[in-house]
Short mmCIF file of all heavy atoms in Angstrom, two decimals:
data_model
loop_
_atom_site.label_atom_id
_atom_site.label_comp_id
_atom_site.label_asym_id
_atom_site.label_seq_id
_atom_site.Cartn_x
_atom_site.Cartn_y
_atom_site.Cartn_z
N PRO O 235 -2.29 -7.19 -5.47
CA PRO O 235 -2.39 -8.72 -5.12
C PRO O 235 -1.21 -9.54 -5.42
O PRO O 235 -0.98 -10.64 -4.84
CB PRO O 235 -3.64 -9.12 -5.80
CG PRO O 235 -3.71 -8.13 -6.98
CD PRO O 235 -3.24 -6.86 -6.47
N MET O 236 -0.39 -9.04 -6.47
CA MET O 236 0.66 -9.91 -6.76
C MET O 236 2.11 -9.46 -6.11
O MET O 236 3.18 -9.90 -6.51
CB MET O 236 0.89 -9.82 -8.38
CG MET O 236 -0.33 -10.33 -9.03
SD MET O 236 -0.94 -11.94 -8.60
CE MET O 236 0.16 -12.85 -9.67
N HIS O 237 1.94 -8.44 -5.26
CA HIS O 237 3.14 -8.00 -4.50
C HIS O 237 3.67 -9.13 -3.61
O HIS O 237 2.85 -9.80 -2.96
CB HIS O 237 2.81 -6.79 -3.63
CG HIS O 237 3.93 -6.13 -2.90
ND1 HIS O 237 4.57 -6.66 -1.73
CD2 HIS O 237 4.70 -5.06 -3.30
CE1 HIS O 237 5.54 -5.85 -1.52
NE2 HIS O 237 5.64 -4.97 -2.33
N SER O 238 4.95 -9.42 -3.74
CA SER O 238 5.50 -10.56 -3.04
C SER O 238 6.83 -10.34 -2.57
O SER O 238 7.72 -9.84 -3.26
CB SER O 238 5.46 -11.75 -3.97
OG SER O 238 5.91 -12.94 -3.37
N LYS O 239 7.17 -10.72 -1.35
CA LYS O 239 8.51 -10.85 -0.77
C LYS O 239 9.04 -12.22 -0.69
O LYS O 239 10.10 -12.54 -0.99
CB LYS O 239 8.60 -10.04 0.44
CG LYS O 239 8.21 -8.66 0.33
CD LYS O 239 9.31 -7.71 0.99
CE LYS O 239 8.78 -6.27 0.93
NZ LYS O 239 9.72 -5.32 0.65
N ILE O 240 8.14 -12.94 -0.06
CA ILE O 240 8.52 -14.40 0.04
C ILE O 240 7.59 -15.39 -0.82
O ILE O 240 8.23 -16.09 -1.61
CB ILE O 240 8.30 -14.83 1.59
CG1 ILE O 240 9.18 -14.03 2.39
CG2 ILE O 240 8.55 -16.33 1.79
CD1 ILE O 240 8.92 -14.09 3.87
N ARG O 241 6.32 -15.21 -0.73
CA ARG O 241 5.41 -15.95 -1.56
C ARG O 241 4.42 -14.95 -2.15
O ARG O 241 4.65 -13.78 -2.10
CB ARG O 241 4.72 -17.00 -0.65
CG ARG O 241 5.58 -18.11 -0.28
CD ARG O 241 4.78 -19.18 0.43
NE ARG O 241 5.78 -20.04 1.30
CZ ARG O 241 5.98 -19.82 2.51
NH1 ARG O 241 5.41 -18.83 3.20
NH2 ARG O 241 6.79 -20.65 3.12
N ASP O 242 3.25 -15.46 -2.60
CA ASP O 242 2.32 -14.47 -3.13
C ASP O 242 1.35 -13.97 -2.07
O ASP O 242 0.23 -14.40 -1.98
CB ASP O 242 1.45 -15.26 -4.18
CG ASP O 242 2.25 -15.63 -5.43
OD1 ASP O 242 3.24 -14.90 -5.63
OD2 ASP O 242 2.04 -16.62 -6.05
N GLU O 243 1.83 -13.09 -1.28
CA GLU O 243 1.02 -12.60 -0.06
C GLU O 243 0.19 -11.35 -0.46
O GLU O 243 -0.86 -11.15 0.18
CB GLU O 243 1.89 -12.40 1.22
CG GLU O 243 2.96 -11.26 0.91
CD GLU O 243 4.34 -11.87 0.59
OE1 GLU O 243 4.45 -13.08 0.32
OE2 GLU O 243 5.26 -11.21 0.59
N GLY O 244 0.65 -10.53 -1.43
CA GLY O 244 -0.12 -9.37 -1.79
C GLY O 244 0.11 -8.30 -0.74
O GLY O 244 0.74 -8.44 0.28
N GLN O 245 -0.39 -7.11 -1.07
CA GLN O 245 -0.20 -5.90 -0.26
C GLN O 245 -1.40 -4.86 -0.40
O GLN O 245 -1.87 -4.74 -1.52
CB GLN O 245 1.08 -5.21 -0.58
CG GLN O 245 1.43 -3.85 0.20
CD GLN O 245 2.77 -3.32 -0.16
OE1 GLN O 245 3.79 -3.97 -0.11
NE2 GLN O 245 2.76 -2.14 -0.75
N VAL O 246 -1.67 -4.16 0.71
CA VAL O 246 -2.69 -3.07 0.61
C VAL O 246 -1.91 -1.81 1.08
O VAL O 246 -1.38 -1.85 2.17
CB VAL O 246 -3.86 -3.36 1.54
CG1 VAL O 246 -4.78 -2.11 1.58
CG2 VAL O 246 -4.66 -4.57 1.03
N SER O 247 -1.88 -0.74 0.30
CA SER O 247 -1.37 0.53 0.75
C SER O 247 -2.39 1.38 1.13
O SER O 247 -3.47 1.39 0.57
CB SER O 247 -0.60 1.17 -0.45
OG SER O 247 0.48 0.32 -0.84
N VAL O 248 -2.23 2.10 2.25
CA VAL O 248 -3.25 3.07 2.80
C VAL O 248 -2.74 4.46 2.59
O VAL O 248 -1.56 4.84 2.93
CB VAL O 248 -3.35 2.79 4.32
CG1 VAL O 248 -4.37 3.79 4.87
CG2 VAL O 248 -3.81 1.39 4.54
N TYR O 249 -3.62 5.28 1.96
CA TYR O 249 -3.36 6.77 1.77
C TYR O 249 -4.38 7.49 2.55
O TYR O 249 -5.56 7.42 2.21
CB TYR O 249 -3.35 7.09 0.31
CG TYR O 249 -2.23 6.37 -0.55
CD1 TYR O 249 -2.40 5.10 -1.01
CD2 TYR O 249 -1.02 7.08 -0.72
CE1 TYR O 249 -1.42 4.53 -1.76
CE2 TYR O 249 -0.06 6.48 -1.41
CZ TYR O 249 -0.26 5.22 -1.99
OH TYR O 249 0.81 4.61 -2.62
N LEU O 250 -3.96 8.30 3.58
CA LEU O 250 -4.82 9.11 4.35
C LEU O 250 -4.88 10.48 3.67
O LEU O 250 -3.96 11.07 3.29
CB LEU O 250 -4.34 9.20 5.83
CG LEU O 250 -4.19 7.85 6.52
CD1 LEU O 250 -3.68 8.15 7.81
CD2 LEU O 250 -5.62 7.20 6.67
N SER O 251 -6.12 10.95 3.56
CA SER O 251 -6.35 12.30 2.96
C SER O 251 -6.52 13.35 4.03
O SER O 251 -7.29 13.16 4.98
CB SER O 251 -7.65 12.23 2.01
OG SER O 251 -7.86 13.52 1.60
N SER O 252 -5.94 14.46 3.72
CA SER O 252 -6.13 15.75 4.53
C SER O 252 -6.48 16.85 3.54
O SER O 252 -5.82 17.85 3.56
CB SER O 252 -4.86 16.05 5.31
OG SER O 252 -4.53 15.06 6.25
N GLY O 253 -7.46 16.56 2.83
CA GLY O 253 -7.90 17.55 1.76
C GLY O 253 -7.08 17.26 0.56
O GLY O 253 -7.19 16.22 -0.08
N ASN O 254 -6.15 18.17 0.15
CA ASN O 254 -5.24 17.95 -1.01
C ASN O 254 -3.81 17.44 -0.61
O ASN O 254 -3.02 17.51 -1.38
CB ASN O 254 -5.17 19.14 -1.89
CG ASN O 254 -6.44 19.48 -2.54
OD1 ASN O 254 -7.15 18.46 -2.89
ND2 ASN O 254 -6.85 20.68 -2.63
N ILE O 255 -3.66 17.02 0.67
CA ILE O 255 -2.43 16.56 1.16
C ILE O 255 -2.66 15.05 1.44
O ILE O 255 -3.59 14.69 2.19
CB ILE O 255 -1.86 17.22 2.39
CG1 ILE O 255 -1.73 18.67 2.08
CG2 ILE O 255 -0.68 16.63 2.85
CD1 ILE O 255 -1.54 19.52 3.26
N TRP O 256 -1.68 14.21 0.92
CA TRP O 256 -1.80 12.78 1.24
C TRP O 256 -0.68 12.17 2.04
O TRP O 256 0.47 12.55 1.88
CB TRP O 256 -1.94 11.95 -0.13
CG TRP O 256 -3.19 12.29 -0.88
CD1 TRP O 256 -3.46 13.32 -1.69
CD2 TRP O 256 -4.37 11.51 -0.75
NE1 TRP O 256 -4.77 13.28 -2.19
CE2 TRP O 256 -5.38 12.17 -1.66
CE3 TRP O 256 -4.68 10.34 -0.08
CZ2 TRP O 256 -6.65 11.63 -1.76
CZ3 TRP O 256 -6.00 9.95 -0.31
CH2 TRP O 256 -6.92 10.55 -1.01
N ILE O 257 -1.00 11.33 2.94
CA ILE O 257 -0.01 10.67 3.69
C ILE O 257 -0.12 9.14 3.44
O ILE O 257 -1.16 8.56 3.65
CB ILE O 257 -0.29 10.94 5.28
CG1 ILE O 257 -0.34 12.44 5.46
CG2 ILE O 257 0.80 10.24 6.09
CD1 ILE O 257 -0.84 12.85 6.81
N LYS O 258 1.03 8.68 3.16
CA LYS O 258 1.10 7.11 3.10
C LYS O 258 1.40 6.51 4.26
O LYS O 258 2.27 6.81 4.97
CB LYS O 258 1.98 6.74 1.92
CG LYS O 258 1.93 5.37 1.61
CD LYS O 258 2.87 4.85 0.41
CE LYS O 258 2.82 3.40 0.29
NZ LYS O 258 3.66 2.79 -0.57
#
């Protein structure tokens, strides 16, 4: 929520699971 480039916009990172392999 405190991730910011310009203002306090926040960020959500998505990690897709393929069993024990993760893709961001």
Side-chain angles (χ1 to χ4, degrees):
M236 305 304 275
H237 187 277
S238 179
K239 297 230 185 220
I240 299 170
R241 292 186 198 92
D242 295 332
E243 60 267 8
Q245 175 178 300
V246 174
S247 298
V248 178
Y249 294 87
L250 299 175
S251 175
S252 297
N254 289 323
I255 300 169
W256 289 86
I257 303 164
K258 180 176 180 188

